Amino acid sequence: MLLSAARVAAQDPPASPTCTTTAIAWVDPAGGTNLGMSDDSTSVVTLPTGMSVMSYGQSYTQLMNSSNGFVRYGSSSGSYYANGSIPATAEPNGIVAAAWDDWNPSAGGSVSWQGQGSAPNRTFVVTWANVPSYNVTGSAVSFQVVFEEGTDAVRLQYLDMLTGSSGYDSGASATAGVDSPTGEYGRLISLNAPNLTDGKAYRCATPVGTAPTITTASLPAGTSGSSYGPLTVVATGGAKACAFSAMARVEKGGARLLWASPELDLEFSAAG
């Protein structure tokens, strides 16, 4: 019995988002809704009617905003004033960190949101405006996250990131990046380094992995009821190219795998 590779379904880890610098297009927060945040507080906002945003293939109509410089997909709470690296399975997960640090809107400034544009090309903007660092009295920074409707794309924008203390200026004690819902994947832009300078902006997009194309047309003949292999199936494209080897047992009309890679799911059918 000659076997052909019938399907390869990609179960590779999703590709990390790509974050590239872009021209800043600061959205004036005037007219937005003030979330009335205090130190180490959170606020869940429901997006405008009919609007959703994406993260790693999941759709969300709510966002949790932290006073400490990040937005979380969904409604799970937690302000987390102590920043960490991205990706990381430790909480918080599923976040967009514009400047995750210990900010204190109780001492000044505001955190607000506003929706802009018309469907299906709306944006949802969260702005930290003139918010002080908890650790630098009299400081005030302004930055924002812009979510693009129906996509995984977000823009991180930095208007004024000087606190008056070199240890906290320009994100020197902050995290910027995008984290997956489980924290296993993500893209780190900056960690405790003064990279978030005035006038800088990033656009991050999280692609969804695609299935590869099988390039192995057929496999050697086997004897029904007997162990079969080792065999190799080669696939290209998709999230990443791959070669796969497995042992199988030949059954009537196909083959049943005895071992499979955790990254691929294969099916075989009789070719003759």
Side-chain angles (χ1 to χ4, degrees):
M1 177 185 291
L2 192 65
L3 302 176
S4 65
R7 178 171 68 93
V8 176
Q11 294 178 343
D12 288 337
S16 294
T18 299
C19 297
T20 56
T21 55
T22 188
I24 189 170
W26 182 258
V27 179
D28 188 345
T33 300
N34 191 330
L35 293 172
M37 286 192 162
S38 57
D39 184 36
D40 296 335
S41 63
T42 63
S43 178
V44 175
V45 174
T46 299
L47 301 182
T49 302
M51 183 177 181
S52 64
V53 293
M54 304 289 292
S55 176
Y56 285 83
Q58 298 182 40
S59 178
Y60 296 88
T61 58
Q62 289 185 310
L63 297 172
M64 188 281 290
N65 306 279
S66 168
S67 61
N68 291 317
F70 67 85
V71 180
R72 190 172 191 171
Y73 291 99
S75 58
S76 297
S77 62
S79 61
Y80 300 96
Y81 68 87
N83 70 308
S85 190
I86 290 174
T89 55
E91 292 285 356
N93 298 136
I95 67 171
V96 177
W100 176 15
D101 203 350
D102 194 2
W103 306 110
N104 183 17
S106 292
S110 64
V111 183
S112 64
W113 71 267
Q114 59 182 305
Q116 291 205 329
S118 301
N121 299 308
R122 290 174 288 186
T123 58
F124 184 85
V125 187
V126 182
T127 303
W128 291 255
N130 300 312
V131 175
S133 166
Y134 183 86
N135 298 291
V136 184
T137 301
S139 60
V141 300
S142 296
F143 56 92
Q144 65 188 189
V145 181
V146 181
F147 294 85
E148 299 179 15
E149 181 175 12
T151 75
D152 294 321
V154 295
R155 299 198 310 272
L156 314 180
Q157 306 200 122
Y158 306 95
L159 185 67
D160 181 0
M161 297 298 290
L162 296 178
T163 65
S165 173
S166 60
Y168 299 93
D169 283 346
S170 304
S173 61
T175 302
V178 180
D179 190 38
S180 71
T182 61
E184 296 176 87
Y185 318 109
R187 177 68 68 190
L188 179 67
I189 294 174
S190 183
L191 176 64
N192 297 333
N195 298 320
L196 311 180
T197 53
D198 294 359
K200 182 167 280 190
Y202 295 89
R203 185 177 187 273
C204 300
T206 309
V208 177
T210 56
T213 300
I214 300 171
T215 57
T216 301
S218 63
L219 301 168
T223 302
S224 181
S226 301
S227 295
Y228 175 77
L231 56 87
T232 299
V233 173
V234 178
T236 59
K240 57 184 177 182
C242 51
F244 175 83
S245 295
M247 294 293 293
R249 179 176 296 278
V250 179
E251 307 286 357
K252 183 178 180 180
R256 177 173 59 84
L257 289 178
L258 301 181
W259 174 86
S261 160
E263 296 186 354
L264 292 174
D265 174 26
L266 286 94
E267 292 179 358
F268 302 95
S269 60

